Amino acid sequence: DADVTQTPRNRITKTGKRIMLECSQTKGHDRMYWYRQDPGLGLRLIYYSFDVKDINKGEISDGYSVSRQAQAKFSLSLESAIPNQTALYFCATSDNRDRGNQHFGDGTRLSIL
Amino acid sequence: GESVGLHLPTLSVQEGDNSIINCAYSNSASDYFIWYKQESGKGPQFIIDIRSNMDKRQGQRVTVLLNKTVKHLSLQIAATQPGDSAVYFCAERGGSYIPTFGRGTSLIVHP
């Protein structure tokens, strides 16, 4: 979905480095999410934010932090990357309706050596 | 620890056949269900949804069936086309408004 843009699309880095993945959206949605996808597994929620002043931990938040800089921007940081954080990372947005479906970016493929 | 390298369930069909992708969900309190399609190199895209007060919903070439008794969801794709080849995820959602995703099924359509 071109309305949800993730940067970078690919990143290779070394163990111990700090990494930031960025997500911006033009959909005007209040809710934003970060997911991780590993081969053969479904999407697992890392963090989510229902508005600019709201940050919530998801299922697998350890080793990650987030920042909601504006309604349109939600960044994910790995403070000290480790190899088992190698994965595909997706940002998603949704509106506030009861049936607010999620709209996903095209992902960031992160490899930690 | 986490599992890595699990193989996805795979469904192989011939072009023109109907496809049925199944999903078992876990939470009997879930009231809203969604099917997503994920093509290679892309993020998941919404296909169709259904509320728990319904047992069937139809879209264009797709039908979702919900059986709450056995906590089962299925996605039927009519006249499957090569462009339907993708990984399909079901997701369930309860009162938290945060969906929980299944592992996915890989659909391969042979011309």
Side-chain angles (χ1 to χ4, degrees):
Chain A
D1 190 326
D3 297 324
V4 182
T5 302
Q6 292 185 233
T7 56
R9 290 296 315 277
N10 293 281
R11 177 81 184 268
I12 301 172
T13 192
K14 294 182 179 179
T15 298
K17 294 290 187 182
R18 184 178 187 274
I19 301 154
M20 180 180 288
L21 308 184
E22 308 213 27
C23 177
S24 63
Q25 52 118 344
T26 58
K27 299 191 76 69
H29 289 166
D30 284 328
R31 300 178 180 181
M32 297 187 75
Y33 311 79
W34 275 104
Y35 287 92
R36 167 178 174 159
Q37 185 176 41
D38 295 280
L41 297 178
L43 294 160
R44 293 186 290 166
L45 183 65
I46 307 173
Y47 271 96
Y48 64 101
S49 168
F50 278 5
D51 65 43
V52 174
K53 296 180 181 178
D54 177 71
I55 299 289
N56 303 281
K57 292 183 177 182
E59 179 188 351
I60 54 164
S61 60
D62 287 349
Y64 302 94
S65 62
V66 291
S67 174
R68 184 80 186 268
Q69 301 96 321
Q71 187 207 36
K73 296 185 182 295
F74 192 36
S75 59
L76 175 72
S77 293
L78 287 67
E79 297 300 326
S80 180
I82 55 177
N84 76 0
Q85 291 177 311
T86 294
L88 193 52
Y89 289 85
F90 287 101
C91 173
T93 74
S94 67
D95 63 28
N96 295 339
R97 293 176 301 159
D98 181 36
R99 280 181 53 204
N101 299 315
Q102 292 177 313
H103 300 257
F104 287 82
D106 284 337
T108 294
R109 185 169 296 280
L110 179 62
S111 297
I112 300 162
L113 307 177
Chain B
E2 58 183 37
S3 300
V4 295
L6 295 177
H7 294 289
L8 282 177
T10 300
L11 175 65
S12 290
V13 301
Q14 291 295 129
E15 182 177 0
D17 287 351
N18 296 331
S19 302
I20 300 176
I21 300 170
N22 297 303
C23 176
Y25 65 93
S26 57
N27 187 353
S28 57
S30 292
D31 62 358
Y32 178 55
F33 304 87
I34 313 149
W35 279 101
Y36 287 91
K37 173 185 180 182
Q38 185 179 18
E39 296 176 275
S40 180
K42 300 282 188 181
Q45 287 186 299
F46 170 85
I47 302 173
I48 192 168
D49 58 0
I50 188 168
R51 284 190 175 277
S52 59
N53 61 355
M54 303 171 67
D55 53 20
K56 180 179 180 179
R57 189 157 190 241
Q58 288 185 290
Q60 186 177 11
R61 281 202 307 120
V62 294
T63 300
V64 55
L65 299 177
L66 175 63
N67 184 331
K68 294 181 289 294
T69 303
V70 295
K71 293 190 285 187
H72 183 268
L73 195 65
S74 68
L75 177 71
Q76 300 179 1
I77 305 173
T80 314
Q81 302 167 0
D84 295 326
S85 293
V87 176
Y88 291 81
F89 293 96
C90 65
E92 60 180 302
R93 201 185 72 186
S96 73
Y97 300 107
I98 306 293
T100 300
F101 288 82
R103 276 207 306 132
T105 296
S106 177
L107 175 65
I108 300 171
V109 182
H110 300 281

